[in-house]
Amino acid sequence: MRRGDALAGLGFAEVPTTQDGGADTMRPGALRGAARGRNLDGLAHALFLRLFPVIAAMVLATQVVIAWVNYGDQIRLTGERAQMMADMTARALARPDWTTSHGPQLQALALDPAFRVATLRDAAGNVVGRLGEEPRGRGFERIQVGSEIEAGPPGQPAGSLTLVLSAEALRANAEKQFVMVLGASLALMLAFALALRLAVRRHVLAPLTRLLSAMGRVEHKEWVTVDLAGRQRPSREIADISSAFNRMVEGLKSGDEARHLLAELERTHARLAEANGLVMESLGYASRIQQAVLPGPGALRGPTLEVAVLWEPLHVVGGDYFWLEEIDGLCIVVVADCTGHGVPGAFLTLIVATALDRILHDQGLRRPDDILAALDGVVRTRLRQETGQVAGRAAEAPEGSDDGLDCGVCVLDRASRILHFAGAGLALTVLDGAGVTRIKGRRHGLGYRRTGREEALSGTAVPLADGQTFFLMTDGVSDQMGGASRRLLGHRGVAEILARHRDLPLDGQVAALEAALAAHRGPEPRRDDMTLVAFRPRTG
């Protein structure tokens, strides 16, 4: 069935259909206008005209069949009764003198109200007795039966009795029943028509009228909904349509308000995009400045030292810093992990860079523990941690700012072939033929609030040997979350990776470590800045 045929069968042939699958119906006012073009009462009238003839024919046919079956049963029962009367009378006449003494038996048959005529015949077929008159009229209005009279030798009937009863009373009764059936059918169909009209009005027309009224008000931006409760509750299908309409109204209501909010949001978004562009531009410029402050790995590269550097801030700028410089024949390597990351950490790296320049060049310090102690003093002074003041105002905490850094310092004396190391929160990792060794420094970092339990800064001397590789790294390298069990890689995991690639050149080792860290993380994001400085003294 085509869609147009289905609409025509439902009485909506004049409602236009479109090639777009009915999208035009959703235009403002289209549905309400299409429904308003038809009288809603015509729906009940159309249903009545379509259903009433079918139901009337079915009810009438059913009642006629029932009446016909009842009439047939009555004819059958009357015929059986007539046959029984004939048989009983024939047995009563079974005497030798039955041809002359049959009056009482025939008179007994005449007592039946339906009796019309009884005829006695001998064996030759001659009439020997008759009571009543042969009825006139149609053959279906009478019932005729016969019975043989056994008054002679067995197997040789002496005569026969023919009995005729009238069926006019049965016909009249059947006609009366048919009239009653017809009247009952008409009453039933009228009751059905009234019930159908009432039900359609209550559960279809009234809810549709409310729905159309609500549509008209919604067109004028009166956000009303259709009430689905009350005495005139809609049918399930109309209730579903009304519920969808109510949801549409709520959506339109919120959408109308959202349009104004969206316009404001778009203006705000444009301002935020402009501000974000300025911020990203500033961060990009800050990143270039920070990278310019960092020394290049070629600062210490030479015929006697191989150096490789990994520096990856978590954001555009980072809180990790490293220093590479050769002064007075000494190779100085410094790695610092400042508090936080991003812009705050980057500000601290500038303080560290300025302090190291003064400590190494102006003060001329060369021992790692002396460098850390001087750096601790500069950081505390710059962050006003000694006076409890932050940026010229009273700090909320008595000890001032709680910022600082973890730092490790290596001073390589190639003449004496000794490496001096001191650390505050950072360790030195040594890879040689015996395996991987970590030389820890002081647990507490530089700066931060004093607890009174800080350990004294001290240095460690490591004699240089062939095949040694040294790594100074921040905890962002080892704090890599990932793997099937989502666990931290840790220093042991980093040491295993370095040991697996010990035979590679130093740049290859750092690249292999970076690839292994990425594989361990998988989809997990990095959690901190990463900085690693690897250096290997050359032999020969």
Side-chain angles (χ1 to χ4, degrees):
M1 179 180 292
R2 296 188 301 272
R3 182 178 61 179
D5 297 336
L7 292 175
L10 294 175
F12 289 94
E14 66 271 24
V15 178
T17 58
T18 60
Q19 297 297 326
D20 60 354
D24 288 346
T25 307
M26 299 310 296
R27 294 198 311 269
L31 179 59
R32 183 177 62 86
R36 181 182 291 173
R38 296 184 55 85
N39 185 0
L40 289 179
D41 290 339
L43 178 60
H45 182 68
L47 290 175
F48 176 77
L49 293 180
R50 304 292 173 84
L51 298 179
F52 183 80
V54 178
I55 295 177
M58 293 180 61
V59 172
L60 186 59
T62 302
Q63 296 298 334
V64 168
V65 171
I66 293 174
W68 179 258
V69 171
N70 290 336
Y71 177 70
D73 289 342
Q74 291 178 4
I75 291 294
R76 180 180 55 79
L77 292 175
T78 303
E80 292 176 356
R81 181 168 58 85
Q83 186 65 53
M84 182 181 62
M85 292 170 57
D87 292 341
M88 292 177 63
T89 304
R91 284 194 294 270
L93 292 172
R95 299 190 305 272
D97 59 343
W98 65 276
T99 57
T100 57
S101 59
H102 53 267
Q105 288 77 9
L106 297 181
Q107 292 293 333
L109 291 175
L111 296 177
D112 191 288
F115 175 80
R116 289 295 179 268
V117 64
T119 305
L120 288 173
R121 290 181 173 84
D122 57 13
N126 299 319
V127 177
V128 297
R130 182 191 296 274
L131 180 64
E133 296 181 358
E134 189 70 25
R136 299 178 180 180
R138 292 164 291 187
F140 63 84
E141 293 183 348
R142 58 187 176 183
I143 299 174
Q144 179 175 328
V145 296
S147 182
E148 296 178 347
I149 300 174
E150 304 288 343
Q156 296 181 1
S160 63
L161 170 64
T162 301
L163 176 63
V164 177
L165 298 181
S166 174
E168 293 179 0
L170 297 180
R171 180 182 58 79
N173 186 41
E175 292 175 353
K176 182 179 179 180
Q177 287 186 358
F178 179 75
V179 173
M180 293 177 61
V181 165
L182 183 59
S185 300
L186 291 175
L188 179 62
M189 288 183 286
L190 289 176
F192 167 75
L194 293 176
L196 175 64
R197 188 175 185 84
L198 179 61
V200 170
R201 277 183 173 275
R202 174 172 295 182
H203 301 295
V204 177
L205 300 183
L208 279 178
T209 301
R210 295 201 304 268
L211 181 60
L212 295 177
S213 176
M215 288 181 180
R217 298 176 65 183
V218 167
E219 283 185 346
H220 295 85
K221 293 190 177 182
E222 297 181 26
W223 308 118
V224 297
T225 56
V226 179
D227 185 12
L228 301 179
R231 293 177 61 252
Q232 297 178 338
R233 289 189 298 177
S235 62
R236 181 173 59 85
E237 293 79 6
I238 298 180
D240 294 340
I241 296 174
S242 300
S243 299
F245 173 77
N246 290 341
R247 293 193 297 269
M248 180 191 71
V249 170
E250 294 297 331
L252 290 175
K253 179 181 178 180
S254 58
D256 188 56
E257 298 173 353
R259 277 193 295 271
H260 300 287
L261 296 177
L262 182 60
E264 182 62 28
L265 180 62
E266 290 177 350
R267 291 190 292 270
T268 304
H269 182 269
R271 293 194 294 269
L272 288 177
E274 182 181 359
N276 182 69
L278 295 175
V279 171
M280 294 305 297
E281 183 179 354
S282 299
L283 286 177
Y285 187 63
S287 175
R288 291 195 298 271
I289 294 176
Q290 187 177 37
Q291 293 182 34
V293 172
L294 293 172
L300 288 180
R301 283 179 181 171
T304 59
L305 189 64
E306 184 180 0
V307 180
V309 176
L310 170 65
W311 182 77
E312 289 187 8
L314 181 62
H315 301 301
V316 181
V317 293
D320 285 359
Y321 181 75
F322 65 92
W323 181 286
L324 304 175
E325 188 177 8
E326 182 175 359
I327 305 176
D328 300 334
L330 302 176
C331 297
I332 300 176
V333 179
V334 180
V335 172
D337 183 3
C338 300
T339 302
H341 43 74
V343 175
F347 273 108
L348 284 177
T349 61
L350 296 179
I351 295 176
V352 172
T354 304
L356 284 175
D357 182 71
R358 179 174 299 179
I359 291 169
L360 294 176
H361 295 94
D362 295 346
Q363 299 180 16
L365 300 180
R366 300 291 181 266
R367 290 174 52 88
D369 50 346
D370 293 340
I371 295 173
L372 290 179
L375 183 59
D376 181 56
V378 173
V379 169
R380 291 184 178 279
T381 301
R382 294 290 179 88
L383 297 182
R384 312 292 174 89
Q385 292 173 339
E386 298 293 347
T387 61
Q389 299 291 323
V390 179
R393 58 181 177 85
E396 296 180 358
E399 294 84 2
S401 170
D402 191 24
D403 298 315
L405 67 148
D406 296 335
C407 187
V409 179
C410 290
V411 177
L412 178 63
D413 188 350
R414 287 179 291 186
S416 61
R417 298 187 59 80
I418 295 177
L419 173 69
H420 300 277
F421 167 74
L426 289 186
L428 175 65
T429 301
V430 182
L431 175 63
D432 54 21
V436 180
T437 305
R438 291 185 72 238
I439 302 175
K440 299 181 180 180
R442 189 181 74 173
R443 180 176 301 178
H444 195 273
L446 306 180
Y448 302 106
R449 295 174 184 170
R450 293 188 182 274
T451 63
R453 297 188 299 271
E454 290 82 4
E455 304 171 9
L457 291 167
S458 61
T460 302
V462 180
L464 297 180
D466 295 339
Q468 286 179 320
T469 305
F470 300 93
F471 301 89
L472 265 182
M473 68 188 77
T474 61
D475 57 5
V477 177
S478 58
D479 291 349
Q480 302 282 337
M481 182 71 73
S485 58
R486 295 191 74 254
R487 61 180 180 83
L488 286 176
L489 180 62
H491 294 287
R492 180 177 298 178
V494 174
E496 293 175 355
I497 296 173
L498 294 176
R500 287 200 302 267
H501 303 91
R502 68 171 68 235
D503 296 331
L504 295 176
L506 204 53
D507 289 336
Q509 283 191 11
V510 174
L513 174 64
E514 187 176 7
L517 294 179
H520 176 77
R521 287 195 307 270
E524 293 287 336
R526 284 198 297 117
R527 306 171 62 184
D528 199 357
D529 305 318
M530 290 196 311
T531 299
L532 178 142
V533 176
F535 55 96
R536 177 188 297 167
R538 299 180 187 270
T539 59

